[in-house]
Amino acid sequence: MNQTYSFPENFLWGGAIAANQAEGAYNQGGKGLSTQDVAPKGVMGPITDEPTADNMKLIGIDLYHRYQEDVKLFAEMGFKVFRTSIAWSRIFPKGDELEPNEEGLQFYDNLFDECLKYGIEPLVTLSHYETPLHLAKEYDGWVNRKMIAFYERYATTVFNRYKNKVKYWLTFNEINSILEFPFMSGGIYTPKDKLSKQDLYQAIHHELVASASAVKLCHEIIPDAQIGCMILSMPTYPLTPNPDDVIKVMEYEHSNYFFGDMHVRGRYPGYMKRYFRENGIEIHMEEGDQETLLNTVDFVSFSYYMSTCQTADPAKQIAGEGNLMGGVPNPYLAASEWGWQIDPQGLRYVLNMFYDRYQKPLFIVENGLGAVDELTTGADGEKTVEDDYRIQYLNDHLVQVGEALEDGVDIMGYTSWGCIDVVSASSAQLKKRYGFIYVDRHDDGSGTLERYRKKSFHWYKEIIASNGKSL
Ligand code: BG6
């Protein structure tokens, strides 16, 4: 017998995107360049001096001009929440100006109003892999302490502007990904192979202080808002029961838990102090930093796509293909076309791990399957995609969310990634699609930008309407 799951009445069902992967209009409305505008091959590729025509994000899916049509489709699915980011360089084009760009502010007023018109709550990420390029080039991004003040000015500006419209905020997207992608995640212009651990962890300190400061500002400016951190979660299993593998996993998990621990507990954990000691790292703390860090988050949000394994055996250390944060493949799991290993139970596991550790409400703000879709004509004569594989993936994961709810985990909501097809972050392709809505645009730049409902569109609508009972 199929189990029926009890999702809370106020469960926030919806979808997620990021400004840089969807909006396009990279040089319109007074926007300055961001790190994404010079990264035509995605987070792992080389960067260019200037924006180049092969960069799919410059046009994205043109959400900047089509947001009304898109939000209407989200409303048709019954979204309660829509996660997007504000492109920092639309508000402060260079990042270090004193006054914001009114046209950029107005765009987000329009976007949030459009959501609220349908009763959709905006969930807004302040910084999603789109640091103003000037801050990267001129200051080396978060390595420089001045970034804290720039970020505070930006956060204060948008909190004040949208205080009556936005009640859910996230400070930094996948903040722990700076360990792998210092440029995209931390705006650090120094190439990764030249970046010292000292500078990397000092940059992280600056980001953590800025994040805690944003929490404080948000609570002061919008007392009825909730603000969370956002972690790239990747539950990690030992490849074998060898205790060496288990300890390796513990240490690897610490490197990521560090970010959640700081946001929830506000103090450097003992295991990090040991890591700093053993690696000759000395974090420069200014007066007041510790006090600021104690402004802890209201909830913990995270992305979940895959799990991974770790082994202490050097002979088995083959990086899993396409596996963003390292690790070795799990022999029990199949993988997506991009090599991301599919593990629905890992979502239940990570929900339990986070909840046991933090006892804070959790929000799954990214989850989904990147796949190649084929546009066909349905029985009703409408163009569609028969994406049963996506329905299967999402259904399997949501069942595990249901299981975690049964376990007693407090979960605020679920926003599937790329609810409308967007440009991929890792590979900068549009071919890697996640959406319930197909966008007719292709990696060679062709396409009409028309939107079409996939089969999963109707499936998700039903899931939301039944509050998860139809899983
Ligand atoms: C997360 C990012 O890492 O994964 C998103 O927050 C990204 O920006 C998503 O798009 C999926 O990754 P990709 O590389 O398939 O787009």
Side-chain angles (χ1 to χ4, degrees), residues 21 128-129 173-174 305 340 366 417 424-427 432 434:
Q21 291 170 257
H128 190 130
Y129 295 174
N173 183 63
E174 299 190 330
Y305 294 92
W340 292 16
E366 284 187 33
W417 176 253
S424 152
S426 60
S427 69
K432 190 179 187 190
Y434 286 84

Side-chain angles (χ1 to χ4, degrees), residues 85-197:
S85 61
I86 295 176
W88 187 347
S89 65
R90 279 199 194 285
I91 311 302
F92 289 96
K94 290 169 78 180
D96 56 1
E97 301 91 335
L98 296 179
E99 295 303 324
N101 168 36
E102 174 56 30
E103 217 177 326
L105 287 166
Q106 188 57 51
F107 168 69
Y108 292 104
D109 264 321
N110 299 346
L111 177 61
F112 301 150
D113 284 344
E114 200 64 23
C115 292
L116 295 169
K117 183 169 121 186
Y118 297 103
I120 300 174
E121 294 280 352
L123 162 62
V124 175
T125 317
L126 288 169
S127 180
H128 190 130
Y129 295 174
E130 50 211 356
T131 308
L133 186 60
H134 173 75
L135 297 183
K137 283 190 163 172
E138 197 62 30
Y139 298 89
D140 212 12
W142 285 97
V143 171
N144 194 317
R145 191 175 171 97
K146 287 189 179 142
M147 288 290 282
I148 300 175
F150 301 145
Y151 182 84
E152 285 172 339
R153 187 178 304 135
Y154 160 58
T156 304
T157 303
V158 296
F159 289 154
N160 276 313
R161 179 76 172 217
Y162 308 121
K163 64 182 170 206
N164 296 321
K165 300 181 182 178
V166 180
K167 303 297 175 187
Y168 298 97
W169 295 89
L170 304 176
T171 56
F172 288 95
N173 183 63
E174 299 190 330
I175 186 165
N176 49 327
S177 66
I178 192 173
L179 298 172
E180 290 295 324
F181 314 117
F183 176 66
M184 210 54 89
S185 184
I188 299 175
Y189 210 68
T190 301
K192 188 178 171 187
D193 56 356
K194 303 226 162 45
L195 182 67
S196 65
K197 280 188 180 168

Side-chain angles (χ1 to χ4, degrees), residues 319-377:
E321 195 191 326
N323 191 333
L324 285 181
M325 298 284 278
V328 295
N330 185 329
Y332 294 93
L333 299 176
S336 78
E337 290 163 276
W338 273 264
W340 292 16
Q341 289 202 295
I342 301 168
D343 178 16
Q345 290 177 95
L347 179 53
R348 175 184 177 193
Y349 177 79
V350 81
L351 281 161
N352 273 274
M353 291 299 114
F354 275 138
Y355 196 60
D356 288 349
R357 198 171 181 105
Y358 300 134
Q359 297 287 300
K360 288 269 182 197
L362 304 178
F363 207 143
I364 305 148
V365 295
E366 284 187 33
N367 172 236
L369 178 69
V372 177
D373 286 342
E374 195 192 336
L375 195 63
T376 54
T377 305

